[in-house]
Amino acid sequence: MTDQSAELEWRDGRVPVSTRFDDPYYSLDNGLAETRHVFLSGNDLPARFRPGFRIAELGFGTGLNLLCALQAFRAAGVPGQLHFTTFEAYPMAPGDMIAAQAHFPELAEIAADLRPFWGRDAFETPDLVFTLIPGDARDTLPAWQGRADAWFLDGFSPAKNPELWGETLMAQVARHTAPDGTAATYTAAGHVRRALEAGGFTVTRAPGFGRKRHMTTARL
C-alpha cells in the first residue's frame, strides 16, 4: 500500500474526520442512510445488479460504501461476484476502518467477513472482487483498464478537495464508464455537474440526504 496514510481525528468518538481536508468521512447524522440514499438509490441499485456488476469509486475512506453495496448485492440474491474498484490517495489504517465500521451494527456481518482483508490492495471472496488503487486518481484513473457500470463519487467536499472534482478527472470517469452506466455523488456543486456534462453524462439534480438539499446523479 501507499505510505500516504489518512490523518484523522474522531468527532464525538464515532465519526472520523480527515484532518488533512477538515471534512468528515460520512454524514454526522447517519452515514449508512446517506450511503444508501446517495450511492445506491442514486445509481438505481439494487435494481440494476447482475452477475459481475462493476462499481468504481473515488474515495474509499472507511469502506462504508463497499460494505453497504455488498450487503445490498447479497440481499438481492444476485449470483456471482460484485466487482468493486476504488481509488484512494490516503488509505485509512485497518484499525481505524474497523473502528469506524463498528458504529454500524446493521453491517456487522459484512464487516466481520471483510475484516481480515483490510490492508490489502486486492482480494477476492465468493461474492466480491475488490481492488484498491492507491495514489492520486488524476494519475491512476487514466491508466486503469476497467470500466464501471456505476460510479460512487465520494471524495471530500469539492471546496476542500477540488483536485478530485475537476473537469479532466470527470472526463476520465466518463471514459471509464460502460454504456448506459451511471454516477452519483452527494454534491450538487455547479462546477461538478458541468464537469460531468462535459464528459458526456446526462446530469440530474436530485433530492439530497439530510441537511443537503440536493445531490447529483448522472447517466452516460
Side-chain angles (χ1 to χ4, degrees), residues 64-158:
L64 176 61
N65 296 342
L66 168 62
L67 299 185
C68 190
L70 184 58
Q71 183 186 61
F73 188 78
R74 288 182 180 179
V78 182
Q81 293 169 302
L82 175 68
H83 291 247
F84 195 101
T85 302
T86 186
F87 297 81
E88 174 59 69
Y90 304 103
M92 188 178 286
D96 288 327
M97 291 180 63
I98 291 166
Q101 293 167 10
H103 293 288
F104 301 99
E106 291 177 69
L107 299 173
E109 181 179 346
I110 300 274
D113 289 346
L114 299 189
R115 187 177 300 131
F117 300 106
W118 301 137
R120 300 187 195 179
D121 288 347
F123 62 85
E124 189 169 338
T125 72
D127 57 7
L128 176 67
V129 177
F130 173 82
T131 305
L132 184 147
I133 299 177
D136 190 323
R138 293 173 295 180
D139 301 323
T140 58
L141 178 52
W144 185 45
Q145 298 301 307
R147 289 201 295 178
D149 300 302
W151 275 93
F152 296 175
L153 304 180
D154 197 20
F156 290 110
S157 163

Side-chain angles (χ1 to χ4, degrees), residues 117-218:
F117 300 106
W118 301 137
R120 300 187 195 179
D121 288 347
F123 62 85
E124 189 169 338
T125 72
D127 57 7
L128 176 67
V129 177
F130 173 82
T131 305
L132 184 147
I133 299 177
D136 190 323
R138 293 173 295 180
D139 301 323
T140 58
L141 178 52
W144 185 45
Q145 298 301 307
R147 289 201 295 178
D149 300 302
W151 275 93
F152 296 175
L153 304 180
D154 197 20
F156 290 110
S157 163
K160 299 177 179 181
N161 187 198
E163 54 270 24
L164 213 55
W165 302 97
E167 187 169 312
T168 300
L169 187 57
M170 292 302 100
Q172 287 294 327
V173 167
R175 191 168 76 82
H176 291 87
T177 301
D180 207 35
T182 61
T185 176
Y186 61 85
T187 184
H191 69 91
V192 173
R193 298 200 311 273
R194 290 189 292 273
L196 288 166
E197 288 173 341
F201 285 98
T202 298
V203 176
T204 302
R205 190 168 68 169
F209 174 80
R211 290 172 285 185
K212 294 189 175 79
R213 289 184 60 195
H214 299 108
M215 55 173 273
T216 301
T217 63

Side-chain angles (χ1 to χ4, degrees), residues 5-62:
S5 58
E7 300 171 0
L8 58 88
E9 61 186 17
W10 293 85
R11 187 169 298 172
D12 300 329
R14 62 185 183 88
V15 177
V17 177
S18 168
T19 55
R20 180 179 278 108
F21 296 104
D22 187 29
D23 210 23
Y25 277 89
Y26 45 73
S27 168
L28 300 177
D29 296 327
N30 188 325
L32 179 56
E34 179 185 46
T35 289
R36 287 171 172 161
H37 177 84
V38 174
F39 298 114
L40 294 189
S41 296
N43 282 291
D44 194 22
L45 302 175
R48 293 173 58 221
F49 278 144
R50 52 176 171 70
F53 192 84
R54 300 162 295 176
I55 293 172
E57 174 185 60
L58 295 183
F60 186 54
T62 65

